[in-house]
Structure formats: structure tokens, C-alpha cells
Amino acid sequence: MPEHLDRARTPLLTLITLESMDEDYQAASRRRGGAAEVRAGSSRGVGVLVVLLLFGMLVAVAAVQTSREAPVEDASRQSLIDRINDHRRSVARTQQRLADLRDANTKADGELAALGARLNAAQGRATDLGALTGFQPVTGPALRVSLDNAKYADQNDEIRDSDIGLLVDGLWGAGAEAITVNGQRVTARTGIRTSGAAIEVNGVGVAPPYTILAIGNTDQMSADFLNSAAGQAFVALAGQYDFRYDLHDVGQVRMAAAPTSLTRLRSATSTKADSSGRKHGKTHGKKDKRGGNG
């Protein structure tokens, strides 16, 4: 009802009519408002339901997708783990191989050092043996013996190979470490022999005057030579045939090595032991009238 209406002055019929119309209008308004509220509530419920349904569908799809991809992810993860384990094993094998190689290298270095020491020792021994046997050059203080025939000696009274051999044997016995005859190094393989009218040493002809050099302790060697049996025999032989000889110290000399051809084995003879255990072999040559080998 309008607020400005004066109920006291308004006729009763008009007032009843107006109030009835107001109540009808209010009822209709309430009905329309309730329907709108119902429709609004229904719309909100449908929206929520749709959202819930969509969310449920998304959750379901995600679950299905997750369940489908789970084996693939598990397989990929296991594959990655296997690859990592394989790589670790490969690294471990490589490290072990490296350690083994280091150990082998250390062992090889030790063996090389030992072989080097053995080589040095062998080379030193070879040098010493070469010097003693005559197949290495040597240097040292020497005693020189100059030997020549008598001034008017005939052929029968000339110096022979056995005479030089006796002198060389006497010098060896007196402590000589190396000997040369007219520059030819004397070794265990050296032959001092007569070939025709000439004397050969190591297959090389030598002629008078003969120069015999002997490296050693010169202070002691001269006296020992003269006091030895070979030295006394040579002195007696020189007096008998009037050989001219001189023996004196010449200081430091250098002797060349013997020819390498002497190192080649030309022949060999087997030896047999008798009941006493001593070995016997064959010797060749003939004695001349002075007791030497021809």
C-alpha cells in the first residue's frame, strides 16, 4: 500500500480494494522470487555437479594414464639403473685393469733394472775376460824385451819359434797380463810357429829384431822372469846361441786386441775321462831339437 494514503480519510471500499491488490501483488512477487531462487539454486547445483563430474573424469583419466604409463616408467627407470650399474662395473674393470698395468709396469721396471745390472756386470766381466784373453785392447806399464840373432849367426843358430815361445811362457809365468810379439797380441789361440824361413804369430809373419812387450807389474815381473825356470832356460839358450836381448821398463803402452778371426772355432776334439777322472785329448805337433813345438 502506498505510504501517502490516508487510511482515515480513504473510503472503506477503496481501502479494502487497495489492500487486497497489495496483498495479491506481494503474493505474486513472493511466488516469482521463490521460483527465481529455485531456478538460481538449481543452476548452481547443476554447475557444481558438472564441475564435479569433469573433475572426476579428469581424475579417472589421470589414473588410467598413470596406470598405463607406470610399467613404461618402471621399465625406463630400471633401464637407467641397469645402465648406471653397467657403467659402474665398466669403470671398476677399467680401474682394476689400470692397477694391474701399473703393477706389471712396476714389475717390468724392476726386472729391467735387474737385467741392466746383470748386463753391466756381464759387460764388465766380458771386458775383463777380453783383456785377459787378448780380445780387448789394454793399456798399462810394460816390460820390453828386444831380441835379435847373433851378428854372424848361420841359419841353424837363428832364433826359432820355440825360442820366442819359451820367452813368452816365461813372461806369462812372471805375471804378465798381456803380451805382444812385434805388435801381434798373444792369446790362448795364438800360434807361434815357423812357416818356411819365417816365423808367424797369429798367421802374420814377423822378422828380427823381435820386440816383445809384456804389461804387468814391471818392478816385480823382471825379477820373477829371471828367477823362473823358463827365464833361466831362455837366458841359457841365449848364451848358447849368442842371442842379443835387452830387457827394460818402457812405461805406459797400449796394446791392440787380437784378430777377431781367432774367435772362430775351426775344430774341436772330444775328451774322455779315464778311471781316475782325468780328461785326455789329442795334441798335434812335433818337438824340435830345442824342445819347442814346430
Side-chain angles (χ1 to χ4, degrees):
M1 178 183 293
E3 293 180 359
H4 63 275
L5 182 64
D6 187 0
R7 294 179 62 89
R9 295 179 179 180
T10 303
L12 179 61
L13 181 60
T14 303
L15 182 62
I16 293 172
T17 304
L18 290 173
E19 288 180 352
S20 299
M21 290 179 65
D22 288 341
E23 291 177 357
D24 292 338
Y25 177 78
Q26 290 176 0
S29 295
R30 283 195 296 270
R31 286 194 298 271
R32 286 195 300 270
E37 289 177 0
V38 171
R39 286 195 297 271
S42 298
S43 298
R44 287 195 296 271
V46 171
V48 171
L49 181 60
V50 170
V51 170
L52 291 175
L53 288 174
L54 290 175
F55 181 74
M57 290 177 64
L58 289 175
V59 171
V61 170
V64 171
Q65 186 67 25
T66 301
S67 63
R68 289 181 178 180
E69 292 179 354
V72 176
E73 291 178 355
D74 291 342
S76 299
R77 183 173 180 274
Q78 186 62 41
S79 176
L80 182 60
I81 293 174
D82 292 341
R83 289 175 60 187
I84 292 173
N85 291 334
D86 290 342
H87 181 68
R88 286 176 177 173
R89 286 191 290 268
S90 178
V91 170
R93 288 194 298 268
T94 302
Q95 290 176 340
Q96 184 61 44
R97 177 62 176 164
L98 180 61
D100 293 341
L101 289 175
R102 285 175 177 170
D103 292 341
N105 188 55
T106 301
K107 183 179 179 181
D109 286 341
E111 293 177 351
L112 180 61
L115 288 175
R118 291 174 58 187
L119 176 61
N120 291 334
Q123 288 176 337
R125 180 168 173 77
T127 299
D128 294 340
L129 290 175
L132 291 174
T133 57
F135 294 101
Q136 286 286 340
V138 292
T139 303
L143 192 69
R144 181 171 68 186
V145 181
S146 299
L147 179 63
D148 200 356
N149 292 312
K151 187 172 292 187
Y152 302 107
D154 58 23
Q155 186 176 359
N156 292 329
D157 296 334
E158 291 180 350
I159 297 171
R160 298 187 178 183
D161 54 357
S162 58
D163 303 331
I164 297 176
L166 180 63
L167 174 59
V168 169
D169 288 343
L171 291 173
W172 283 127
E177 298 174 5
I179 297 175
T180 60
V181 176
N182 282 25
Q184 291 297 315
R185 187 77 172 270
V186 178
T187 72
R189 296 289 309 278
T190 295
I192 302 176
R193 57 178 57 89
T194 299
S195 178
I199 296 176
E200 291 184 353
V201 180
N202 292 333
V204 178
V206 294
Y210 304 104
T211 300
I212 294 89
L213 293 174
I215 289 180
N217 186 347
T218 55
D219 294 336
Q220 189 70 28
M221 189 163 43
S222 177
D224 290 345
F225 171 73
L226 295 175
N227 291 328
S228 66
Q232 292 177 2
F234 175 78
V235 170
L237 190 65
Q240 179 181 354
Y241 291 96
D242 201 18
F243 298 155
R244 293 177 293 173
Y245 73 94
D246 179 47
L247 197 128
H248 62 276
D249 184 2
V250 292
Q252 292 284 326
V253 299
R254 184 181 186 278
M255 293 183 180
T260 56
S261 59
L262 295 179
T263 61
R264 292 195 298 268
L265 182 64
R266 296 180 179 178
S267 62
T269 303
S270 62
T271 58
K272 296 180 180 180
D274 59 14
S275 58
S276 63
R278 291 176 298 180
K279 295 181 179 180
H280 300 276
K282 294 182 179 179
T283 59
H284 302 277
K286 61 180 180 179
K287 291 276 188 177
D288 66 6
K289 66 178 183 180
R290 295 183 185 175
N293 287 330

